[in-house]
Amino acid sequence: TALAYARADHVFITNGDCLQFARAIGVTRYSPMIHPVDESLYRNERTDPGALRQRFGVDVLLYCPIRHDWAVKGNDVFIRLLPELRRRLAGRTFKLVFSPWGADVERSRALVRELGCDDLVEWHGPWHRQQFIRMIRACDVVLDQMILPCFGATAPEAIASGTPVIMSYDQKSTDWIIDEPAPILSARTQEQALDCIMRALDPEYREQFRQTSLQWFLKNHSAQRLIDEHLRVYQSVAGKPFRPAS
């Protein structure tokens, strides 16, 4: 695989923390490439997300769709904060929805039981794309990975939906890919994650986020940007002038 990358006419690098590895194996012709996300699906999905919220019957709905791999994703942070979150949200009902996939699913289930938080957690999935989109749009907050510094597709999907997202984001990891930091609430510890959840639930913050999230997405992460960049590279490799699709 390394040989193929090194000999390729051009390489697209989708993850912010992979540039150093590309350079280490001798890749010299490359460009950053965002993960493909069709924003129209997240903004115009016809099914009312309110119906899905009613299914859970709570005031606050948190969603963590990432795989259970504690060493890489740090999902256990979100489980360990549940007792304190119960205290902070006293008087309000809430649920944290997990997807049952990954090597550490049973460890996560056991930790939930150990902390006495079975009533706060539900397991659903795997879901097909339309169900996933409805969940992203219906929840109050998306909880993403808590160890890696750069985002993949989950955070942009949440942003495109107008849903706040929390993860261990370091803007320096994506400076070479996007022009401005993503509107992500950054947290690396349990206490920081708790504070970010409370901020994400603040009505004033949510209104401000909704007003700016789509603007950031269309500028930095739109499907049109992905298409134009692919065409530019393909036409350059083929020795033809670039004609943007737009």
mmCIF file of all heavy atoms in Angstrom, residues 90-117:
data_model
loop_
_atom_site.group_PDB
_atom_site.id
_atom_site.type_symbol
_atom_site.label_atom_id
_atom_site.label_comp_id
_atom_site.label_asym_id
_atom_site.label_seq_id
_atom_site.Cartn_x
_atom_site.Cartn_y
_atom_site.Cartn_z
ATOM 1 N N ALA A 90 -30.592 17.641 37.104
ATOM 2 C CA ALA A 90 -31.660 17.334 38.059
ATOM 3 C C ALA A 90 -32.943 18.051 37.661
ATOM 4 O O ALA A 90 -32.942 19.244 37.366
ATOM 5 C CB ALA A 90 -31.231 17.750 39.466
ATOM 6 N N GLY A 91 -34.028 17.292 37.631
ATOM 7 C CA GLY A 91 -35.307 17.868 37.223
ATOM 8 C C GLY A 91 -35.597 17.693 35.748
ATOM 9 O O GLY A 91 -36.705 17.998 35.298
ATOM 10 N N ARG A 92 -34.608 17.211 34.990
ATOM 11 C CA ARG A 92 -34.791 16.970 33.554
ATOM 12 C C ARG A 92 -34.463 15.502 33.258
ATOM 13 O O ARG A 92 -33.531 14.947 33.810
ATOM 14 C CB ARG A 92 -33.887 17.885 32.714
ATOM 15 C CG ARG A 92 -34.095 19.357 32.997
ATOM 16 C CD ARG A 92 -33.071 20.208 32.254
ATOM 17 N NE ARG A 92 -33.290 20.216 30.822
ATOM 18 C CZ ARG A 92 -32.509 20.848 29.950
ATOM 19 N NH1 ARG A 92 -31.430 21.495 30.378
ATOM 20 N NH2 ARG A 92 -32.781 20.837 28.667
ATOM 21 N N THR A 93 -35.236 14.899 32.386
ATOM 22 C CA THR A 93 -34.969 13.518 31.996
ATOM 23 C C THR A 93 -34.067 13.499 30.766
ATOM 24 O O THR A 93 -34.141 14.390 29.915
ATOM 25 C CB THR A 93 -36.270 12.783 31.676
ATOM 26 O OG1 THR A 93 -36.974 13.494 30.639
ATOM 27 C CG2 THR A 93 -37.149 12.696 32.913
ATOM 28 N N PHE A 94 -33.196 12.487 30.694
ATOM 29 C CA PHE A 94 -32.335 12.390 29.527
ATOM 30 C C PHE A 94 -31.955 10.948 29.253
ATOM 31 O O PHE A 94 -32.033 10.081 30.123
ATOM 32 C CB PHE A 94 -31.076 13.246 29.698
ATOM 33 C CG PHE A 94 -30.055 12.701 30.662
ATOM 34 C CD1 PHE A 94 -28.994 11.908 30.218
ATOM 35 C CD2 PHE A 94 -30.129 12.988 32.024
ATOM 36 C CE1 PHE A 94 -28.042 11.416 31.103
ATOM 37 C CE2 PHE A 94 -29.180 12.507 32.914
ATOM 38 C CZ PHE A 94 -28.145 11.712 32.452
ATOM 39 N N LYS A 95 -31.533 10.692 28.021
ATOM 40 C CA LYS A 95 -31.037 9.397 27.596
ATOM 41 C C LYS A 95 -29.770 9.595 26.772
ATOM 42 O O LYS A 95 -29.641 10.576 26.028
ATOM 43 C CB LYS A 95 -32.059 8.668 26.720
ATOM 44 C CG LYS A 95 -33.306 8.186 27.439
ATOM 45 C CD LYS A 95 -33.057 6.883 28.168
ATOM 46 C CE LYS A 95 -34.375 6.318 28.715
ATOM 47 N NZ LYS A 95 -34.147 5.058 29.461
ATOM 48 N N LEU A 96 -28.840 8.648 26.902
ATOM 49 C CA LEU A 96 -27.672 8.578 26.038
ATOM 50 C C LEU A 96 -27.837 7.333 25.178
ATOM 51 O O LEU A 96 -27.934 6.216 25.701
ATOM 52 C CB LEU A 96 -26.390 8.492 26.872
ATOM 53 C CG LEU A 96 -25.096 8.178 26.123
ATOM 54 C CD1 LEU A 96 -24.859 9.122 24.960
ATOM 55 C CD2 LEU A 96 -23.906 8.197 27.076
ATOM 56 N N VAL A 97 -27.864 7.520 23.876
ATOM 57 C CA VAL A 97 -28.056 6.413 22.942
ATOM 58 C C VAL A 97 -26.710 6.007 22.358
ATOM 59 O O VAL A 97 -26.005 6.831 21.762
ATOM 60 C CB VAL A 97 -29.030 6.807 21.807
ATOM 61 C CG1 VAL A 97 -29.203 5.651 20.822
ATOM 62 C CG2 VAL A 97 -30.379 7.219 22.384
ATOM 63 N N PHE A 98 -26.363 4.740 22.527
ATOM 64 C CA PHE A 98 -25.154 4.164 21.954
ATOM 65 C C PHE A 98 -25.515 3.222 20.810
ATOM 66 O O PHE A 98 -26.616 2.655 20.779
ATOM 67 C CB PHE A 98 -24.387 3.349 23.006
ATOM 68 C CG PHE A 98 -23.561 4.168 23.961
ATOM 69 C CD1 PHE A 98 -23.761 4.075 25.332
ATOM 70 C CD2 PHE A 98 -22.554 5.004 23.498
ATOM 71 C CE1 PHE A 98 -22.993 4.801 26.221
ATOM 72 C CE2 PHE A 98 -21.779 5.751 24.384
ATOM 73 C CZ PHE A 98 -22.000 5.642 25.747
ATOM 74 N N SER A 99 -24.553 3.018 19.915
ATOM 75 C CA SER A 99 -24.679 1.995 18.883
ATOM 76 C C SER A 99 -23.880 0.768 19.322
ATOM 77 O O SER A 99 -22.709 0.901 19.693
ATOM 78 C CB SER A 99 -24.149 2.505 17.537
ATOM 79 O OG SER A 99 -24.938 3.578 17.063
ATOM 80 N N PRO A 100 -24.479 -0.421 19.291
ATOM 81 C CA PRO A 100 -23.814 -1.621 19.814
ATOM 82 C C PRO A 100 -22.835 -2.242 18.822
ATOM 83 O O PRO A 100 -23.068 -3.318 18.269
ATOM 84 C CB PRO A 100 -24.983 -2.563 20.108
ATOM 85 C CG PRO A 100 -25.998 -2.193 19.070
ATOM 86 C CD PRO A 100 -25.866 -0.700 18.885
ATOM 87 N N TRP A 101 -21.719 -1.550 18.590
ATOM 88 C CA TRP A 101 -20.704 -2.132 17.714
ATOM 89 C C TRP A 101 -19.321 -1.756 18.224
ATOM 90 O O TRP A 101 -19.154 -0.750 18.911
ATOM 91 C CB TRP A 101 -20.913 -1.701 16.258
ATOM 92 C CG TRP A 101 -20.639 -0.258 15.952
ATOM 93 C CD1 TRP A 101 -21.257 0.838 16.507
ATOM 94 C CD2 TRP A 101 -19.697 0.268 15.019
ATOM 95 N NE1 TRP A 101 -20.759 2.005 15.963
ATOM 96 C CE2 TRP A 101 -19.798 1.684 15.035
ATOM 97 C CE3 TRP A 101 -18.770 -0.310 14.144
ATOM 98 C CZ2 TRP A 101 -19.010 2.520 14.248
ATOM 99 C CZ3 TRP A 101 -17.990 0.529 13.343
ATOM 100 C CH2 TRP A 101 -18.128 1.917 13.400
ATOM 101 N N GLY A 102 -18.329 -2.582 17.916
ATOM 102 C CA GLY A 102 -16.971 -2.353 18.376
ATOM 103 C C GLY A 102 -16.509 -3.428 19.345
ATOM 104 O O GLY A 102 -17.310 -4.157 19.942
ATOM 105 N N ALA A 103 -15.200 -3.518 19.517
ATOM 106 C CA ALA A 103 -14.599 -4.575 20.337
ATOM 107 C C ALA A 103 -14.926 -4.450 21.823
ATOM 108 O O ALA A 103 -14.865 -5.432 22.558
ATOM 109 C CB ALA A 103 -13.081 -4.573 20.141
ATOM 110 N N ASP A 104 -15.275 -3.237 22.283
ATOM 111 C CA ASP A 104 -15.487 -3.014 23.717
ATOM 112 C C ASP A 104 -16.951 -2.800 24.098
ATOM 113 O O ASP A 104 -17.235 -2.204 25.147
ATOM 114 C CB ASP A 104 -14.664 -1.804 24.178
ATOM 115 C CG ASP A 104 -13.171 -2.095 24.192
ATOM 116 O OD1 ASP A 104 -12.792 -3.238 24.487
ATOM 117 O OD2 ASP A 104 -12.383 -1.174 23.889
ATOM 118 N N VAL A 105 -17.860 -3.302 23.287
ATOM 119 C CA VAL A 105 -19.284 -3.139 23.600
ATOM 120 C C VAL A 105 -19.617 -3.737 24.962
ATOM 121 O O VAL A 105 -20.298 -3.105 25.791
ATOM 122 C CB VAL A 105 -20.172 -3.776 22.513
ATOM 123 C CG1 VAL A 105 -21.613 -3.885 22.991
ATOM 124 C CG2 VAL A 105 -20.123 -2.947 21.238
ATOM 125 N N GLU A 106 -19.157 -4.949 25.226
ATOM 126 C CA GLU A 106 -19.482 -5.597 26.495
ATOM 127 C C GLU A 106 -18.841 -4.876 27.676
ATOM 128 O O GLU A 106 -19.422 -4.807 28.756
ATOM 129 C CB GLU A 106 -19.062 -7.072 26.460
ATOM 130 C CG GLU A 106 -19.868 -7.909 25.481
ATOM 131 C CD GLU A 106 -21.372 -7.735 25.668
ATOM 132 O OE1 GLU A 106 -21.836 -7.778 26.830
ATOM 133 O OE2 GLU A 106 -22.071 -7.527 24.663
ATOM 134 N N ARG A 107 -17.643 -4.335 27.483
ATOM 135 C CA ARG A 107 -17.025 -3.536 28.545
ATOM 136 C C ARG A 107 -17.872 -2.302 28.834
ATOM 137 O O ARG A 107 -18.047 -1.910 30.000
ATOM 138 C CB ARG A 107 -15.619 -3.096 28.132
ATOM 139 C CG ARG A 107 -14.588 -4.199 28.085
ATOM 140 C CD ARG A 107 -13.231 -3.641 27.696
ATOM 141 N NE ARG A 107 -12.631 -2.853 28.767
ATOM 142 C CZ ARG A 107 -11.577 -2.062 28.612
ATOM 143 N NH1 ARG A 107 -11.025 -1.915 27.408
ATOM 144 N NH2 ARG A 107 -11.072 -1.395 29.633
ATOM 145 N N SER A 108 -18.406 -1.690 27.778
ATOM 146 C CA SER A 108 -19.241 -0.499 27.958
ATOM 147 C C SER A 108 -20.538 -0.854 28.676
ATOM 148 O O SER A 108 -20.965 -0.139 29.589
ATOM 149 C CB SER A 108 -19.548 0.131 26.596
ATOM 150 O OG SER A 108 -18.378 0.676 26.012
ATOM 151 N N ARG A 109 -21.151 -1.948 28.286
ATOM 152 C CA ARG A 109 -22.390 -2.379 28.954
ATOM 153 C C ARG A 109 -22.122 -2.650 30.436
ATOM 154 O O ARG A 109 -22.924 -2.274 31.305
ATOM 155 C CB ARG A 109 -22.937 -3.641 28.288
ATOM 156 C CG ARG A 109 -23.491 -3.441 26.873
ATOM 157 C CD ARG A 109 -24.070 -4.757 26.360
ATOM 158 N NE ARG A 109 -24.493 -4.693 24.989
ATOM 159 C CZ ARG A 109 -25.705 -4.298 24.569
ATOM 160 N NH1 ARG A 109 -26.600 -3.896 25.468
ATOM 161 N NH2 ARG A 109 -26.018 -4.291 23.284
ATOM 162 N N ALA A 110 -20.997 -3.300 30.719
ATOM 163 C CA ALA A 110 -20.664 -3.629 32.110
ATOM 164 C C ALA A 110 -20.421 -2.367 32.930
ATOM 165 O O ALA A 110 -20.834 -2.279 34.102
ATOM 166 C CB ALA A 110 -19.429 -4.539 32.143
ATOM 167 N N LEU A 111 -19.778 -1.368 32.328
ATOM 168 C CA LEU A 111 -19.508 -0.127 33.046
ATOM 169 C C LEU A 111 -20.804 0.629 33.333
ATOM 170 O O LEU A 111 -20.964 1.217 34.405
ATOM 171 C CB LEU A 111 -18.545 0.752 32.240
ATOM 172 C CG LEU A 111 -18.126 2.073 32.880
ATOM 173 C CD1 LEU A 111 -17.469 1.840 34.241
ATOM 174 C CD2 LEU A 111 -17.186 2.848 31.958
ATOM 175 N N VAL A 112 -21.719 0.611 32.389
ATOM 176 C CA VAL A 112 -23.017 1.253 32.606
ATOM 177 C C VAL A 112 -23.713 0.619 33.806
ATOM 178 O O VAL A 112 -24.248 1.324 34.679
ATOM 179 C CB VAL A 112 -23.906 1.131 31.337
ATOM 180 C CG1 VAL A 112 -25.336 1.582 31.650
ATOM 181 C CG2 VAL A 112 -23.334 1.959 30.205
ATOM 182 N N ARG A 113 -23.707 -0.709 33.870
ATOM 183 C CA ARG A 113 -24.335 -1.419 34.996
ATOM 184 C C ARG A 113 -23.625 -1.110 36.302
ATOM 185 O O ARG A 113 -24.261 -0.877 37.336
ATOM 186 C CB ARG A 113 -24.328 -2.929 34.734
ATOM 187 C CG ARG A 113 -25.264 -3.379 33.628
ATOM 188 C CD ARG A 113 -25.420 -4.895 33.653
ATOM 189 N NE ARG A 113 -24.148 -5.575 33.395
ATOM 190 C CZ ARG A 113 -23.717 -5.923 32.189
ATOM 191 N NH1 ARG A 113 -24.457 -5.647 31.122
ATOM 192 N NH2 ARG A 113 -22.562 -6.553 32.046
ATOM 193 N N GLU A 114 -22.290 -1.108 36.266
ATOM 194 C CA GLU A 114 -21.498 -0.848 37.467
ATOM 195 C C GLU A 114 -21.796 0.523 38.065
ATOM 196 O O GLU A 114 -21.840 0.689 39.294
ATOM 197 C CB GLU A 114 -20.006 -0.955 37.125
ATOM 198 C CG GLU A 114 -19.069 -0.675 38.272
ATOM 199 C CD GLU A 114 -17.613 -0.665 37.836
ATOM 200 O OE1 GLU A 114 -17.276 -1.361 36.857
ATOM 201 O OE2 GLU A 114 -16.807 0.059 38.460
ATOM 202 N N LEU A 115 -22.037 1.506 37.196
ATOM 203 C CA LEU A 115 -22.315 2.868 37.662
ATOM 204 C C LEU A 115 -23.788 3.077 38.006
ATOM 205 O O LEU A 115 -24.170 4.168 38.444
ATOM 206 C CB LEU A 115 -21.891 3.877 36.585
ATOM 207 C CG LEU A 115 -20.393 3.935 36.279
ATOM 208 C CD1 LEU A 115 -20.129 4.861 35.085
ATOM 209 C CD2 LEU A 115 -19.612 4.420 37.499
ATOM 210 N N GLY A 116 -24.597 2.049 37.811
ATOM 211 C CA GLY A 116 -26.019 2.162 38.111
ATOM 212 C C GLY A 116 -26.755 3.114 37.188
ATOM 213 O O GLY A 116 -27.677 3.823 37.617
ATOM 214 N N CYS A 117 -26.376 3.102 35.915
ATOM 215 C CA CYS A 117 -26.945 4.056 34.963
ATOM 216 C C CYS A 117 -27.704 3.387 33.816
ATOM 217 O O CYS A 117 -27.846 3.969 32.733
ATOM 218 C CB CYS A 117 -25.833 4.940 34.385
ATOM 219 S SG CYS A 117 -25.064 6.028 35.595
#
